mmCIF file with all atom_site columns, all heavy atoms in Angstrom:
data_model
loop_
_atom_site.group_PDB
_atom_site.id
_atom_site.type_symbol
_atom_site.label_atom_id
_atom_site.label_alt_id
_atom_site.label_comp_id
_atom_site.label_asym_id
_atom_site.label_entity_id
_atom_site.label_seq_id
_atom_site.pdbx_PDB_ins_code
_atom_site.Cartn_x
_atom_site.Cartn_y
_atom_site.Cartn_z
_atom_site.occupancy
_atom_site.B_iso_or_equiv
_atom_site.pdbx_formal_charge
_atom_site.auth_seq_id
_atom_site.auth_comp_id
_atom_site.auth_asym_id
_atom_site.auth_atom_id
_atom_site.pdbx_PDB_model_num
ATOM 1   N N   . LYS A 1 52  ? 7.992  -15.941 -7.414  1.00 0.00 ? 54  LYS A N   1
ATOM 2   C CA  . LYS A 1 52  ? 9.035  -15.921 -8.427  1.00 0.00 ? 54  LYS A CA  1
ATOM 3   C C   . LYS A 1 52  ? 8.994  -17.234 -9.262  1.00 0.00 ? 54  LYS A C   1
ATOM 4   O O   . LYS A 1 52  ? 9.171  -17.169 -10.490 1.00 0.00 ? 54  LYS A O   1
ATOM 5   C CB  . LYS A 1 52  ? 10.388 -15.723 -7.769  1.00 0.00 ? 54  LYS A CB  1
ATOM 6   C CG  . LYS A 1 52  ? 11.547 -15.579 -8.757  1.00 0.00 ? 54  LYS A CG  1
ATOM 7   C CD  . LYS A 1 52  ? 12.824 -15.313 -8.067  1.00 0.00 ? 54  LYS A CD  1
ATOM 8   C CE  . LYS A 1 52  ? 14.000 -15.094 -9.033  1.00 0.00 ? 54  LYS A CE  1
ATOM 9   N NZ  . LYS A 1 52  ? 15.266 -14.827 -8.331  1.00 0.00 ? 54  LYS A NZ  1
ATOM 10  N N   . ARG A 1 55  ? 5.826  -16.980 -11.567 1.00 0.00 ? 57  ARG A N   1
ATOM 11  C CA  . ARG A 1 55  ? 5.502  -15.638 -12.060 1.00 0.00 ? 57  ARG A CA  1
ATOM 12  C C   . ARG A 1 55  ? 4.969  -15.571 -13.472 1.00 0.00 ? 57  ARG A C   1
ATOM 13  O O   . ARG A 1 55  ? 4.400  -14.574 -13.891 1.00 0.00 ? 57  ARG A O   1
ATOM 14  C CB  . ARG A 1 55  ? 6.765  -14.750 -11.942 1.00 0.00 ? 57  ARG A CB  1
ATOM 15  C CG  . ARG A 1 55  ? 7.939  -15.249 -12.811 1.00 0.00 ? 57  ARG A CG  1
ATOM 16  C CD  . ARG A 1 55  ? 9.199  -14.448 -12.466 1.00 0.00 ? 57  ARG A CD  1
ATOM 17  N NE  . ARG A 1 55  ? 10.330 -14.905 -13.271 1.00 0.00 ? 57  ARG A NE  1
ATOM 18  C CZ  . ARG A 1 55  ? 11.575 -14.413 -13.111 1.00 0.00 ? 57  ARG A CZ  1
ATOM 19  N NH1 . ARG A 1 55  ? 11.826 -13.525 -12.171 1.00 0.00 ? 57  ARG A NH1 1
ATOM 20  N NH2 . ARG A 1 55  ? 12.561 -14.836 -13.854 1.00 0.00 ? 57  ARG A NH2 1
ATOM 21  N N   . ASP A 1 56  ? 5.180  -16.609 -14.229 1.00 0.00 ? 58  ASP A N   1
ATOM 22  C CA  . ASP A 1 56  ? 4.697  -16.624 -15.621 1.00 0.00 ? 58  ASP A CA  1
ATOM 23  C C   . ASP A 1 56  ? 3.398  -17.383 -15.872 1.00 0.00 ? 58  ASP A C   1
ATOM 24  O O   . ASP A 1 56  ? 3.069  -17.684 -17.031 1.00 0.00 ? 58  ASP A O   1
ATOM 25  C CB  . ASP A 1 56  ? 5.816  -17.171 -16.545 1.00 0.00 ? 58  ASP A CB  1
ATOM 26  C CG  . ASP A 1 56  ? 7.064  -16.270 -16.534 1.00 0.00 ? 58  ASP A CG  1
ATOM 27  O OD1 . ASP A 1 56  ? 6.849  -15.023 -16.567 1.00 0.00 ? 58  ASP A OD1 1
ATOM 28  O OD2 . ASP A 1 56  ? 8.172  -16.789 -16.494 1.00 0.00 ? 58  ASP A OD2 1
ATOM 29  N N   . TYR A 1 79  ? 2.164  -10.312 -6.082  1.00 0.00 ? 81  TYR A N   1
ATOM 30  C CA  . TYR A 1 79  ? 3.537  -10.386 -6.494  1.00 0.00 ? 81  TYR A CA  1
ATOM 31  C C   . TYR A 1 79  ? 3.672  -10.788 -7.954  1.00 0.00 ? 81  TYR A C   1
ATOM 32  O O   . TYR A 1 79  ? 4.451  -10.236 -8.751  1.00 0.00 ? 81  TYR A O   1
ATOM 33  C CB  . TYR A 1 79  ? 4.348  -11.402 -5.629  1.00 0.00 ? 81  TYR A CB  1
ATOM 34  C CG  . TYR A 1 79  ? 4.632  -10.980 -4.216  1.00 0.00 ? 81  TYR A CG  1
ATOM 35  C CD1 . TYR A 1 79  ? 4.682  -11.949 -3.226  1.00 0.00 ? 81  TYR A CD1 1
ATOM 36  C CD2 . TYR A 1 79  ? 4.861  -9.686  -3.889  1.00 0.00 ? 81  TYR A CD2 1
ATOM 37  C CE1 . TYR A 1 79  ? 4.937  -11.593 -1.892  1.00 0.00 ? 81  TYR A CE1 1
ATOM 38  C CE2 . TYR A 1 79  ? 5.127  -9.306  -2.561  1.00 0.00 ? 81  TYR A CE2 1
ATOM 39  C CZ  . TYR A 1 79  ? 5.168  -10.260 -1.575  1.00 0.00 ? 81  TYR A CZ  1
ATOM 40  O OH  . TYR A 1 79  ? 5.410  -9.929  -0.293  1.00 0.00 ? 81  TYR A OH  1
ATOM 41  N N   . ILE A 1 80  ? 2.846  -11.752 -8.357  1.00 0.00 ? 82  ILE A N   1
ATOM 42  C CA  . ILE A 1 80  ? 2.891  -12.208 -9.742  1.00 0.00 ? 82  ILE A CA  1
ATOM 43  C C   . ILE A 1 80  ? 2.350  -11.115 -10.683 1.00 0.00 ? 82  ILE A C   1
ATOM 44  O O   . ILE A 1 80  ? 2.938  -10.860 -11.732 1.00 0.00 ? 82  ILE A O   1
ATOM 45  C CB  . ILE A 1 80  ? 2.062  -13.496 -9.892  1.00 0.00 ? 82  ILE A CB  1
ATOM 46  C CG1 . ILE A 1 80  ? 2.735  -14.666 -9.163  1.00 0.00 ? 82  ILE A CG1 1
ATOM 47  C CG2 . ILE A 1 80  ? 1.864  -13.853 -11.395 1.00 0.00 ? 82  ILE A CG2 1
ATOM 48  C CD1 . ILE A 1 80  ? 1.897  -15.924 -9.051  1.00 0.00 ? 82  ILE A CD1 1
ATOM 49  N N   . LEU A 1 81  ? 1.296  -10.457 -10.299 1.00 0.00 ? 83  LEU A N   1
ATOM 50  C CA  . LEU A 1 81  ? 0.777  -9.380  -11.110 1.00 0.00 ? 83  LEU A CA  1
ATOM 51  C C   . LEU A 1 81  ? 1.765  -8.231  -11.267 1.00 0.00 ? 83  LEU A C   1
ATOM 52  O O   . LEU A 1 81  ? 1.883  -7.631  -12.338 1.00 0.00 ? 83  LEU A O   1
ATOM 53  C CB  . LEU A 1 81  ? -0.560 -8.873  -10.511 1.00 0.00 ? 83  LEU A CB  1
ATOM 54  C CG  . LEU A 1 81  ? -1.778 -9.806  -10.641 1.00 0.00 ? 83  LEU A CG  1
ATOM 55  C CD1 . LEU A 1 81  ? -2.950 -9.227  -9.875  1.00 0.00 ? 83  LEU A CD1 1
ATOM 56  C CD2 . LEU A 1 81  ? -2.095 -9.997  -12.101 1.00 0.00 ? 83  LEU A CD2 1
ATOM 57  N N   . ILE A 1 82  ? 2.475  -7.885  -10.213 1.00 0.00 ? 84  ILE A N   1
ATOM 58  C CA  . ILE A 1 82  ? 3.505  -6.879  -10.281 1.00 0.00 ? 84  ILE A CA  1
ATOM 59  C C   . ILE A 1 82  ? 4.560  -7.254  -11.294 1.00 0.00 ? 84  ILE A C   1
ATOM 60  O O   . ILE A 1 82  ? 5.018  -6.426  -12.131 1.00 0.00 ? 84  ILE A O   1
ATOM 61  C CB  . ILE A 1 82  ? 4.114  -6.572  -8.906  1.00 0.00 ? 84  ILE A CB  1
ATOM 62  C CG1 . ILE A 1 82  ? 3.078  -5.912  -7.982  1.00 0.00 ? 84  ILE A CG1 1
ATOM 63  C CG2 . ILE A 1 82  ? 5.346  -5.684  -9.041  1.00 0.00 ? 84  ILE A CG2 1
ATOM 64  C CD1 . ILE A 1 82  ? 3.489  -5.905  -6.542  1.00 0.00 ? 84  ILE A CD1 1
ATOM 65  N N   . HIS A 1 83  ? 5.018  -8.478  -11.215 1.00 0.00 ? 85  HIS A N   1
ATOM 66  C CA  . HIS A 1 83  ? 6.049  -9.001  -12.125 1.00 0.00 ? 85  HIS A CA  1
ATOM 67  C C   . HIS A 1 83  ? 5.543  -8.854  -13.579 1.00 0.00 ? 85  HIS A C   1
ATOM 68  O O   . HIS A 1 83  ? 6.225  -8.358  -14.451 1.00 0.00 ? 85  HIS A O   1
ATOM 69  C CB  . HIS A 1 83  ? 6.371  -10.443 -11.836 1.00 0.00 ? 85  HIS A CB  1
ATOM 70  C CG  . HIS A 1 83  ? 7.169  -11.108 -12.912 1.00 0.00 ? 85  HIS A CG  1
ATOM 71  N ND1 . HIS A 1 83  ? 8.517  -10.964 -13.041 1.00 0.00 ? 85  HIS A ND1 1
ATOM 72  C CD2 . HIS A 1 83  ? 6.760  -11.949 -13.951 1.00 0.00 ? 85  HIS A CD2 1
ATOM 73  C CE1 . HIS A 1 83  ? 8.940  -11.666 -14.088 1.00 0.00 ? 85  HIS A CE1 1
ATOM 74  N NE2 . HIS A 1 83  ? 7.921  -12.270 -14.646 1.00 0.00 ? 85  HIS A NE2 1
ATOM 75  N N   . GLN A 1 84  ? 4.310  -9.290  -13.836 1.00 0.00 ? 86  GLN A N   1
ATOM 76  C CA  . GLN A 1 84  ? 3.746  -9.276  -15.203 1.00 0.00 ? 86  GLN A CA  1
ATOM 77  C C   . GLN A 1 84  ? 3.497  -7.835  -15.637 1.00 0.00 ? 86  GLN A C   1
ATOM 78  O O   . GLN A 1 84  ? 3.657  -7.536  -16.825 1.00 0.00 ? 86  GLN A O   1
ATOM 79  C CB  . GLN A 1 84  ? 2.488  -10.133 -15.263 1.00 0.00 ? 86  GLN A CB  1
ATOM 80  C CG  . GLN A 1 84  ? 2.820  -11.615 -15.007 1.00 0.00 ? 86  GLN A CG  1
ATOM 81  C CD  . GLN A 1 84  ? 1.596  -12.520 -15.233 1.00 0.00 ? 86  GLN A CD  1
ATOM 82  O OE1 . GLN A 1 84  ? 0.541  -12.103 -15.630 1.00 0.00 ? 86  GLN A OE1 1
ATOM 83  N NE2 . GLN A 1 84  ? 1.792  -13.812 -14.997 1.00 0.00 ? 86  GLN A NE2 1
ATOM 84  N N   . TYR A 1 85  ? 3.096  -6.993  -14.704 1.00 0.00 ? 87  TYR A N   1
ATOM 85  C CA  . TYR A 1 85  ? 2.872  -5.574  -15.013 1.00 0.00 ? 87  TYR A CA  1
ATOM 86  C C   . TYR A 1 85  ? 4.201  -4.894  -15.466 1.00 0.00 ? 87  TYR A C   1
ATOM 87  O O   . TYR A 1 85  ? 4.232  -4.225  -16.482 1.00 0.00 ? 87  TYR A O   1
ATOM 88  C CB  . TYR A 1 85  ? 2.279  -4.860  -13.807 1.00 0.00 ? 87  TYR A CB  1
ATOM 89  C CG  . TYR A 1 85  ? 1.920  -3.403  -14.075 1.00 0.00 ? 87  TYR A CG  1
ATOM 90  C CD1 . TYR A 1 85  ? 0.598  -3.093  -14.431 1.00 0.00 ? 87  TYR A CD1 1
ATOM 91  C CD2 . TYR A 1 85  ? 2.853  -2.384  -13.971 1.00 0.00 ? 87  TYR A CD2 1
ATOM 92  C CE1 . TYR A 1 85  ? 0.236  -1.777  -14.682 1.00 0.00 ? 87  TYR A CE1 1
ATOM 93  C CE2 . TYR A 1 85  ? 2.489  -1.076  -14.225 1.00 0.00 ? 87  TYR A CE2 1
ATOM 94  C CZ  . TYR A 1 85  ? 1.219  -0.784  -14.567 1.00 0.00 ? 87  TYR A CZ  1
ATOM 95  O OH  . TYR A 1 85  ? 0.798  0.512   -14.828 1.00 0.00 ? 87  TYR A OH  1
ATOM 96  N N   . GLU A 1 86  ? 5.200  -5.099  -14.694 1.00 0.00 ? 88  GLU A N   1
ATOM 97  C CA  . GLU A 1 86  ? 6.495  -4.440  -14.973 1.00 0.00 ? 88  GLU A CA  1
ATOM 98  C C   . GLU A 1 86  ? 7.109  -4.902  -16.254 1.00 0.00 ? 88  GLU A C   1
ATOM 99  O O   . GLU A 1 86  ? 7.862  -4.111  -16.914 1.00 0.00 ? 88  GLU A O   1
ATOM 100 C CB  . GLU A 1 86  ? 7.459  -4.630  -13.809 1.00 0.00 ? 88  GLU A CB  1
ATOM 101 C CG  . GLU A 1 86  ? 7.002  -3.924  -12.512 1.00 0.00 ? 88  GLU A CG  1
ATOM 102 C CD  . GLU A 1 86  ? 7.920  -4.185  -11.327 1.00 0.00 ? 88  GLU A CD  1
ATOM 103 O OE1 . GLU A 1 86  ? 8.659  -5.205  -11.349 1.00 0.00 ? 88  GLU A OE1 1
ATOM 104 O OE2 . GLU A 1 86  ? 7.861  -3.426  -10.366 1.00 0.00 ? 88  GLU A OE2 1
ATOM 105 N N   . ARG A 1 87  ? 6.818  -6.086  -16.671 1.00 0.00 ? 89  ARG A N   1
ATOM 106 C CA  . ARG A 1 87  ? 7.402  -6.657  -17.895 1.00 0.00 ? 89  ARG A CA  1
ATOM 107 C C   . ARG A 1 87  ? 6.421  -6.647  -19.070 1.00 0.00 ? 89  ARG A C   1
ATOM 108 O O   . ARG A 1 87  ? 6.810  -7.064  -20.185 1.00 0.00 ? 89  ARG A O   1
ATOM 109 C CB  . ARG A 1 87  ? 7.916  -8.083  -17.660 1.00 0.00 ? 89  ARG A CB  1
ATOM 110 C CG  . ARG A 1 87  ? 9.156  -8.084  -16.733 1.00 0.00 ? 89  ARG A CG  1
ATOM 111 C CD  . ARG A 1 87  ? 9.327  -9.370  -15.979 1.00 0.00 ? 89  ARG A CD  1
ATOM 112 N NE  . ARG A 1 87  ? 10.536 -9.312  -15.149 1.00 0.00 ? 89  ARG A NE  1
ATOM 113 C CZ  . ARG A 1 87  ? 10.576 -8.680  -13.983 1.00 0.00 ? 89  ARG A CZ  1
ATOM 114 N NH1 . ARG A 1 87  ? 9.497  -8.002  -13.540 1.00 0.00 ? 89  ARG A NH1 1
ATOM 115 N NH2 . ARG A 1 87  ? 11.667 -8.650  -13.251 1.00 0.00 ? 89  ARG A NH2 1
ATOM 116 N N   . GLY A 1 88  ? 5.222  -6.210  -18.860 1.00 0.00 ? 90  GLY A N   1
ATOM 117 C CA  . GLY A 1 88  ? 4.221  -6.251  -19.882 1.00 0.00 ? 90  GLY A CA  1
ATOM 118 C C   . GLY A 1 88  ? 4.243  -5.064  -20.829 1.00 0.00 ? 90  GLY A C   1
ATOM 119 O O   . GLY A 1 88  ? 4.825  -4.011  -20.511 1.00 0.00 ? 90  GLY A O   1
ATOM 120 N N   . ASP A 1 89  ? 3.576  -5.189  -21.983 1.00 0.00 ? 91  ASP A N   1
ATOM 121 C CA  . ASP A 1 89  ? 3.437  -4.035  -22.864 1.00 0.00 ? 91  ASP A CA  1
ATOM 122 C C   . ASP A 1 89  ? 2.288  -3.182  -22.345 1.00 0.00 ? 91  ASP A C   1
ATOM 123 O O   . ASP A 1 89  ? 1.703  -3.453  -21.325 1.00 0.00 ? 91  ASP A O   1
ATOM 124 C CB  . ASP A 1 89  ? 3.187  -4.507  -24.305 1.00 0.00 ? 91  ASP A CB  1
ATOM 125 C CG  . ASP A 1 89  ? 1.928  -5.398  -24.426 1.00 0.00 ? 91  ASP A CG  1
ATOM 126 O OD1 . ASP A 1 89  ? 1.062  -5.353  -23.536 1.00 0.00 ? 91  ASP A OD1 1
ATOM 127 O OD2 . ASP A 1 89  ? 1.851  -6.108  -25.452 1.00 0.00 ? 91  ASP A OD2 1
ATOM 128 N N   . GLU A 1 90  ? 1.960  -2.120  -23.074 1.00 0.00 ? 92  GLU A N   1
ATOM 129 C CA  . GLU A 1 90  ? 0.981  -1.153  -22.593 1.00 0.00 ? 92  GLU A CA  1
ATOM 130 C C   . GLU A 1 90  ? -0.404 -1.827  -22.393 1.00 0.00 ? 92  GLU A C   1
ATOM 131 O O   . GLU A 1 90  ? -1.087 -1.555  -21.438 1.00 0.00 ? 92  GLU A O   1
ATOM 132 C CB  . GLU A 1 90  ? 0.853  0.041   -23.563 1.00 0.00 ? 92  GLU A CB  1
ATOM 133 C CG  . GLU A 1 90  ? -0.044 1.099   -23.022 1.00 0.00 ? 92  GLU A CG  1
ATOM 134 C CD  . GLU A 1 90  ? 0.055  2.384   -23.831 1.00 0.00 ? 92  GLU A CD  1
ATOM 135 O OE1 . GLU A 1 90  ? 0.745  2.390   -24.871 1.00 0.00 ? 92  GLU A OE1 1
ATOM 136 O OE2 . GLU A 1 90  ? -0.574 3.410   -23.421 1.00 0.00 ? 92  GLU A OE2 1
ATOM 137 N N   . ARG A 1 91  ? -0.752 -2.719  -23.270 1.00 0.00 ? 93  ARG A N   1
ATOM 138 C CA  . ARG A 1 91  ? -2.041 -3.410  -23.165 1.00 0.00 ? 93  ARG A CA  1
ATOM 139 C C   . ARG A 1 91  ? -2.111 -4.236  -21.896 1.00 0.00 ? 93  ARG A C   1
ATOM 140 O O   . ARG A 1 91  ? -3.076 -4.200  -21.165 1.00 0.00 ? 93  ARG A O   1
ATOM 141 C CB  . ARG A 1 91  ? -2.267 -4.305  -24.407 1.00 0.00 ? 93  ARG A CB  1
ATOM 142 C CG  . ARG A 1 91  ? -3.611 -5.048  -24.377 1.00 0.00 ? 93  ARG A CG  1
ATOM 143 C CD  . ARG A 1 91  ? -3.726 -6.011  -25.549 1.00 0.00 ? 93  ARG A CD  1
ATOM 144 N NE  . ARG A 1 91  ? -2.719 -7.058  -25.463 1.00 0.00 ? 93  ARG A NE  1
ATOM 145 C CZ  . ARG A 1 91  ? -2.890 -8.155  -24.743 1.00 0.00 ? 93  ARG A CZ  1
ATOM 146 N NH1 . ARG A 1 91  ? -3.927 -8.368  -24.000 1.00 0.00 ? 93  ARG A NH1 1
ATOM 147 N NH2 . ARG A 1 91  ? -1.936 -9.083  -24.753 1.00 0.00 ? 93  ARG A NH2 1
ATOM 148 N N   . ILE A 1 92  ? -1.065 -4.976  -21.629 1.00 0.00 ? 94  ILE A N   1
ATOM 149 C CA  . ILE A 1 92  ? -1.020 -5.782  -20.404 1.00 0.00 ? 94  ILE A CA  1
ATOM 150 C C   . ILE A 1 92  ? -1.036 -4.932  -19.148 1.00 0.00 ? 94  ILE A C   1
ATOM 151 O O   . ILE A 1 92  ? -1.777 -5.202  -18.189 1.00 0.00 ? 94  ILE A O   1
ATOM 152 C CB  . ILE A 1 92  ? 0.242  -6.711  -20.398 1.00 0.00 ? 94  ILE A CB  1
ATOM 153 C CG1 . ILE A 1 92  ? 0.118  -7.779  -21.512 1.00 0.00 ? 94  ILE A CG1 1
ATOM 154 C CG2 . ILE A 1 92  ? 0.421  -7.329  -19.041 1.00 0.00 ? 94  ILE A CG2 1
ATOM 155 C CD1 . ILE A 1 92  ? -1.004 -8.798  -21.254 1.00 0.00 ? 94  ILE A CD1 1
ATOM 156 N N   . LYS A 1 93  ? -0.265 -3.877  -19.191 1.00 0.00 ? 95  LYS A N   1
ATOM 157 C CA  . LYS A 1 93  ? -0.256 -2.956  -18.028 1.00 0.00 ? 95  LYS A CA  1
ATOM 158 C C   . LYS A 1 93  ? -1.641 -2.373  -17.787 1.00 0.00 ? 95  LYS A C   1
ATOM 159 O O   . LYS A 1 93  ? -2.101 -2.349  -16.575 1.00 0.00 ? 95  LYS A O   1
ATOM 160 C CB  . LYS A 1 93  ? 0.766  -1.796  -18.306 1.00 0.00 ? 95  LYS A CB  1
ATOM 161 C CG  . LYS A 1 93  ? 2.221  -2.179  -18.247 1.00 0.00 ? 95  LYS A CG  1
ATOM 162 C CD  . LYS A 1 93  ? 3.088  -0.967  -18.514 1.00 0.00 ? 95  LYS A CD  1
ATOM 163 C CE  . LYS A 1 93  ? 4.570  -1.309  -18.603 1.00 0.00 ? 95  LYS A CE  1
ATOM 164 N NZ  . LYS A 1 93  ? 5.135  -1.683  -17.312 1.00 0.00 ? 95  LYS A NZ  1
ATOM 165 N N   . ILE A 1 96  ? -3.964 -5.057  -16.277 1.00 0.00 ? 98  ILE A N   1
ATOM 166 C CA  . ILE A 1 96  ? -3.686 -5.382  -14.863 1.00 0.00 ? 98  ILE A CA  1
ATOM 167 C C   . ILE A 1 96  ? -4.083 -4.217  -13.961 1.00 0.00 ? 98  ILE A C   1
ATOM 168 O O   . ILE A 1 96  ? -4.654 -4.429  -12.871 1.00 0.00 ? 98  ILE A O   1
ATOM 169 C CB  . ILE A 1 96  ? -2.183 -5.759  -14.716 1.00 0.00 ? 98  ILE A CB  1
ATOM 170 C CG1 . ILE A 1 96  ? -1.891 -7.061  -15.394 1.00 0.00 ? 98  ILE A CG1 1
ATOM 171 C CG2 . ILE A 1 96  ? -1.818 -5.814  -13.193 1.00 0.00 ? 98  ILE A CG2 1
ATOM 172 C CD1 . ILE A 1 96  ? -0.416 -7.453  -15.399 1.00 0.00 ? 98  ILE A CD1 1
ATOM 173 N N   . GLN A 1 120 ? 3.854  0.301   -7.512  1.00 0.00 ? 122 GLN A N   1
ATOM 174 C CA  . GLN A 1 120 ? 4.269  -0.318  -8.729  1.00 0.00 ? 122 GLN A CA  1
ATOM 175 C C   . GLN A 1 120 ? 3.210  -0.342  -9.794  1.00 0.00 ? 122 GLN A C   1
ATOM 176 O O   . GLN A 1 120 ? 3.531  -0.221  -10.969 1.00 0.00 ? 122 GLN A O   1
ATOM 177 C CB  . GLN A 1 120 ? 4.773  -1.758  -8.451  1.00 0.00 ? 122 GLN A CB  1
ATOM 178 C CG  . GLN A 1 120 ? 6.006  -1.810  -7.533  1.00 0.00 ? 122 GLN A CG  1
ATOM 179 C CD  . GLN A 1 120 ? 5.622  -1.951  -6.061  1.00 0.00 ? 122 GLN A CD  1
ATOM 180 O OE1 . GLN A 1 120 ? 4.656  -1.383  -5.628  1.00 0.00 ? 122 GLN A OE1 1
ATOM 181 N NE2 . GLN A 1 120 ? 6.391  -2.734  -5.355  1.00 0.00 ? 122 GLN A NE2 1
ATOM 182 N N   . GLU A 1 124 ? 2.540  3.884   -11.278 1.00 0.00 ? 126 GLU A N   1
ATOM 183 C CA  . GLU A 1 124 ? 3.063  3.905   -12.648 1.00 0.00 ? 126 GLU A CA  1
ATOM 184 C C   . GLU A 1 124 ? 1.919  4.185   -13.668 1.00 0.00 ? 126 GLU A C   1
ATOM 185 O O   . GLU A 1 124 ? 2.101  4.977   -14.615 1.00 0.00 ? 126 GLU A O   1
ATOM 186 C CB  . GLU A 1 124 ? 3.741  2.588   -12.983 1.00 0.00 ? 126 GLU A CB  1
ATOM 187 C CG  . GLU A 1 124 ? 4.560  2.576   -14.256 1.00 0.00 ? 126 GLU A CG  1
ATOM 188 C CD  . GLU A 1 124 ? 3.770  2.368   -15.546 1.00 0.00 ? 126 GLU A CD  1
ATOM 189 O OE1 . GLU A 1 124 ? 2.606  1.918   -15.453 1.00 0.00 ? 126 GLU A OE1 1
ATOM 190 O OE2 . GLU A 1 124 ? 4.305  2.713   -16.626 1.00 0.00 ? 126 GLU A OE2 1
#
Side-chain angles (χ1 to χ4, degrees):
K54 185 175 181 180
R57 63 189 179 185
D58 294 320
Y81 288 147
I82 292 171
L83 288 174
I84 291 167
H85 168 81
Q86 295 187 2
Y87 185 94
E88 292 176 341
R89 288 155 181 77
D91 58 20
E92 187 169 5
R93 181 185 64 83
I94 291 295
K95 288 179 186 291
I98 292 174
Q122 296 93 323
E126 193 278 343

